[in-house]
Amino acid sequence: MSIVEEKKAYISSLIKIDNVSNIEIQESLIPPPDPELGDFALPCFKFAKLLKTSPVKIAENIVSSITDDHTMFDKIVAINGYVNFKFNIRASANRVLSEIVTQKSTYANSSEGMGRTICIDYSSINIAKLMHIGHLSTTVIGGALYRIYKKLGYNPIGINHLGDWGTQFGKLIVAFKLWGNIEKLTNDGVSALTEIYVKFHAESETKPELLDMARAAFKRLEDGDPESVQLFELFKKITLDEVNKVYDRLHVHFDSYNGEAFYNDKMDVVINELDSLNLTEISDGAKIVDLSKYDMPPCLLVRSDGATLYATRDLAAAYYRKRTYDFYKCIYVVAYQQNLHFKQLFKVLELAGKTWAKDMIHVPFGMVSLEEGAMSTRRGNVILLMDVLSKAVEKSAEIMTVKNPALKDKMEIAEKIGVGAITFFALNNNRIKDIVFSYDKALSFDGETGPYIQYTNVRALSILRNLGVSDDYFSIPFTDDELAGLDNKESAILLSLLEKMPDILTQVIEKFEPSILSRYIIDVAKAFNRFYLENRIMNAETNYRRARATLTYATHIILEEGLRLLGIDAPTEM
Ligand code: ARG
């Protein structure tokens, strides 16, 4: 049980309401709008009907009935139909601080996910295409969920469901044979592929025979013709070499790169099964699953020319993942434009009697666009993710030159700040909202940004460095005299935030929403800065110093681990 849950359980044990269970009381406890009011509030409105009494009266009755001797609480008060509970620092500081400083980065680890595998399909790029700003959200949201699942004891499987199948690869092969050369490809990478692909389209306007050649080339690829396969493998390698550089910078990795091509020989079984269940029918020569009963267009499985589709391969992939990983959940972090695709996919699985269809989850997200005037990095029609990262790093280096000219390893630190700023910006948003990206906003040191958190962490570290103490300085418990150093508003708010981390992580995976964690560490950073502003640490009264330094150390641990979970480095200096 986390500290927060224990506190809730304790509160509910003190309250007796006729015909209302302890569990229900416990689950009704919410954080009050203003942390100064207390740590927990019990809204009494929902009991009014049952008790035939006004919420205001109920709240007052509860307060007067509580016989706790107030060793645990600073105050318990009834306000406007709420009962607010404020725990006293002495009762909880030793507990939470000792948990954090002894467990360090493993604080908030749990085993709740033991034995449960979670497939996470994210990033899932297309071969021979450049990775652009539209890939940012899926990549960093997937990466964050992956690390958080792992921290909670699950077994996450990161899957990059490569878009490596389709007639466009026939076009590329033809274009490469006509205009490409290995040297240019090796030097320019994916851009060289895009270039010849664009040329193919322009030329095929006047030379439609090119399209026939492309179809034939794709057919040869499908049939395993060695030369075509070799060329395709080269395109794939070039693409992966390039995207892996981006993944490294973003600290994202995958356990599997099984993409669409991998399912080429795994679709027949699925289609046969759907046939035998009488789910399929032929419509205009194509094989479909009719979904009109569910207010959806049909799910197209095989085109009239015999070609399979994106959905067919996703069906085969779903079967394969269930069989191979026996997942507890299979998550798809894919833009909301594909809402319908996933609704259809999950419906077909359900109709096929797969009980696990309910464990398939589409985690959609909104679009990222760059604000007006920030388009200088456009290449062709896309804003490359690599360019965005590099530009953010460049700007961070400029900022560091002004802010801290003496800084050693400036470029190394600028990489952490710049890339971290981009990641944080993409994560610190309700997933489903469209976002307009701005370098200045993302890199601001005093907004709700990655650099702000990194900077706050560096501040905490420098306080600790100046104290020049070793780990055993933070040994706990503190005496009451020492704890008096934390008996102030700012410390109380910070402490009550620190103890919430385990519950925050649970919320993130319940809602597939990493922004719950990003906002949380923003709150921690803000609370720490207020604490630091109002309370001396170095020059504190001697008996206060140790407790305050420990709170600083605990904050550093939470910030660093919070950043790591989001995929962001925490520089030790900046
Ligand atoms: N490659 C696809 C695209 O770029 C995304 C694939 C998402 N994953 C999946 N299993 N459908 O749109």
Side-chain angles (χ1 to χ4, degrees):
M1 224 198 296
S2 71
I3 299 181
V4 169
E5 281 165 4
E6 270 180 27
K7 284 183 170 176
K8 285 185 178 180
Y10 180 68
I11 291 175
S12 71
S13 74
L14 300 174
I15 301 172
K16 304 271 169 292
I17 303 176
D18 287 343
N19 295 319
V20 179
S21 69
N22 262 13
I23 291 292
E24 193 178 331
I25 295 173
Q26 196 171 325
E27 284 172 356
S28 306
L29 291 165
I30 54 170
D34 176 355
E36 279 189 48
L37 286 170
D39 304 300
F40 299 96
L42 180 68
C44 298
F45 307 90
K46 59 163 124 181
F47 310 124
K49 211 165 156 195
L50 179 76
L51 300 179
K52 301 193 179 69
T53 319
S54 77
V56 173
K57 194 80 202 132
I58 297 172
E60 286 167 358
N61 289 344
I62 290 175
V63 173
S64 54
S65 75
I66 291 179
T67 49
D68 174 80
D69 58 6
H70 284 233
T71 49
M72 289 296 280
F73 298 100
D74 267 353
K75 56 180 182 187
I76 303 174
V77 276
I79 306 173
N80 301 330
Y82 289 86
V83 185
N84 293 317
F85 299 84
K86 194 168 172 51
F87 280 89
N88 83 32
I89 292 290
R90 288 184 174 83
S92 57
N94 275 329
R95 169 79 194 278
V96 61
L97 289 176
S98 89
E99 272 194 17
I100 299 172
V101 306
T102 55
Q103 297 171 15
K104 303 206 173 56
S105 66
T106 66
Y107 173 68
N109 277 18
S110 97
S111 53
E112 69 171 70
M114 279 291 254
R116 289 176 171 169
T117 295
I118 311 284
C119 289
I120 313 178
D121 179 323
Y122 66 111
S123 205
S124 297
I125 48 133
N126 299 323
I127 294 301
K129 292 225 180 101
L130 293 156
M131 210 173 163
H132 55 84
I133 183 128
H135 292 108
L136 175 62
S137 299
T138 170
T139 307
V140 298
I141 292 171
L145 291 177
Y146 186 100
R147 284 178 291 266
I148 294 167
Y149 270 115
K150 202 162 192 114
K151 187 171 175 78
L152 299 184
Y154 293 84
N155 172 34
I157 308 284
I159 303 174
N160 200 326
H161 183 78
L162 297 178
D164 52 5
W165 198 246
T167 45
Q168 70 270 29
F169 296 107
K171 295 178 184 171
L172 260 181
I173 289 173
V174 172
F176 185 75
K177 282 190 174 171
L178 288 173
W179 314 297
N181 72 65
I182 292 284
E183 210 191 350
K184 190 163 161 51
L185 196 59
T186 329
N187 289 336
D188 297 2
V190 183
S191 322
L193 289 175
T194 335
E195 212 172 278
I196 54 172
Y197 190 68
V198 170
K199 184 164 167 135
F200 181 93
H201 273 263
E203 299 268 321
S204 64
E205 301 255 315
T206 53
K207 293 184 201 128
E209 65 274 18
L210 283 176
L211 293 172
D212 295 328
M213 288 166 69
R215 261 189 292 275
F218 180 58
K219 180 84 176 61
R220 279 199 300 279
L221 178 62
E222 268 191 299
D223 294 342
D225 161 57
E227 191 203 4
S228 314
V229 171
Q230 205 185 351
L231 273 179
F232 176 74
E233 287 302 327
L234 177 67
F235 302 157
K236 186 165 160 180
K237 179 179 182 311
I238 299 258
T239 312
L240 289 181
D241 282 351
E242 217 159 298
V243 294
N244 278 326
K245 287 183 196 142
V246 177
Y247 293 146
D248 282 348
R249 293 183 84 174
L250 293 173
H251 306 314
V252 158
H253 94 282
F254 300 91
D255 303 296
S256 160
Y257 284 88
N258 286 339
E260 297 192 41
F262 179 78
Y263 298 102
N264 204 25
D265 60 359
K266 298 176 183 62
M267 286 178 282
D268 280 350
V269 208
V270 178
I271 297 173
N272 291 342
E273 183 179 317
L274 299 179
D275 284 342
S276 68
L277 291 166
N278 287 327
L279 288 171
T280 57
E281 58 193 78
I282 302 295
S283 158
D284 285 336
K287 185 170 278 189
I288 63 161
V289 177
D290 178 39
L291 297 174
S292 55
K293 258 199 241 151
Y294 311 98
D295 272 336
M296 283 187 259
C299 179
L300 202 51
L301 299 178
V302 187
R303 268 196 332 228
S304 54
D305 65 1
T308 55
L309 291 107
Y310 180 56
T312 330
R313 286 182 287 279
D314 254 333
L315 276 172
Y319 276 60
Y320 175 84
R321 289 175 192 174
K322 186 62 193 176
R323 194 167 67 237
T324 309
Y325 304 111
D326 192 23
F327 55 73
Y328 172 71
K329 281 191 167 76
C330 178
I331 296 171
Y332 298 84
V333 187
V334 183
Y336 63 59
Q337 279 85 350
Q338 295 193 29
N339 278 356
L340 177 62
H341 166 73
F342 287 105
K343 265 178 72 180
Q344 291 176 307
L345 181 68
F346 301 165
K347 184 50 94 181
V348 172
L349 292 169
E350 186 192 313
L351 294 174
K354 304 296 175 197
T355 49
W356 44 269
K358 61 170 188 348
D359 307 322
M360 312 281 286
I361 295 142
H362 177 209
V363 174
F365 54 84
M367 282 197 339
V368 184
S369 56
L370 246 64
E371 70 176 357
E372 207 68 45
M375 299 297 182
S376 57
T377 51
R378 250 176 199 282
R379 264 197 231 164
N381 246 342
V382 290
I383 299 152
L384 300 188
L385 194 45
M386 198 55 152
D387 291 348
V388 173
L389 297 182
S390 299
K391 187 159 171 185
V393 169
E394 231 172 81
K395 283 178 177 269
S396 308
E398 283 164 24
I399 296 172
M400 294 326 294
T401 307
V402 177
K403 277 201 191 282
N404 188 354
L407 190 65
K408 278 184 271 158
D409 311 320
K410 187 175 75 183
M411 283 322 289
E412 209 176 289
I413 292 168
E415 172 77 16
K416 296 180 177 174
I417 300 172
V419 175
I422 303 290
T423 299
F424 193 86
F425 195 86
L427 288 175
N428 192 32
N429 244 286
N430 187 322
R431 221 182 344 99
I432 206 67
K433 279 198 197 144
D434 289 338
I435 42 180
V436 178
F437 174 76
S438 139
Y439 287 103
D440 291 338
K441 276 194 202 127
L443 288 170
S444 155
F445 272 52
D446 41 37
E448 303 194 339
T449 64
Y452 170 74
I453 297 168
Q454 289 170 325
Y455 190 70
T456 305
N457 179 54
V458 165
R459 168 176 282 167
L461 279 174
S462 98
I463 294 166
L464 296 170
R465 243 191 324 263
N466 288 339
L467 276 167
V469 294
S470 64
D471 234 37
D472 35 326
Y473 180 73
F474 305 110
S475 69
I476 293 169
F478 298 119
T479 64
D480 276 0
D481 262 3
E482 290 179 304
L483 279 178
L486 302 181
D487 218 343
N488 52 69
K489 193 172 78 191
E490 300 80 28
S491 305
I493 292 175
L494 181 54
L495 272 166
S496 84
L497 273 170
L498 297 188
E499 72 182 19
K500 288 201 175 85
M501 189 175 202
D503 303 77
I504 292 289
L505 297 181
T506 307
Q507 285 172 37
V508 171
I509 62 159
E510 266 167 22
K511 301 202 168 114
F512 311 101
E513 184 65 90
S515 69
I516 296 172
L517 176 60
S518 67
R519 299 226 186 85
Y520 166 75
I521 53 175
I522 285 280
D523 289 343
V524 170
K526 282 186 181 164
F528 174 74
N529 284 318
R530 274 192 296 269
F531 158 76
Y532 173 73
L533 196 72
E534 301 293 333
N535 299 279
R536 281 169 303 168
I537 303 172
M538 271 295 266
N539 308 316
E541 295 77 340
T542 325
N543 52 326
Y544 289 177
R545 194 184 300 143
R546 218 165 63 87
R548 288 181 184 171
T550 306
L551 181 55
T552 303
Y553 182 46
T555 304
H556 149 68
I557 290 169
I558 299 281
L559 291 179
E560 191 177 75
E561 177 64 358
L563 286 171
R564 184 192 71 79
L565 289 169
L566 297 176
I568 300 173
D569 286 317
T572 51
E573 266 181 290
M574 63 195 269

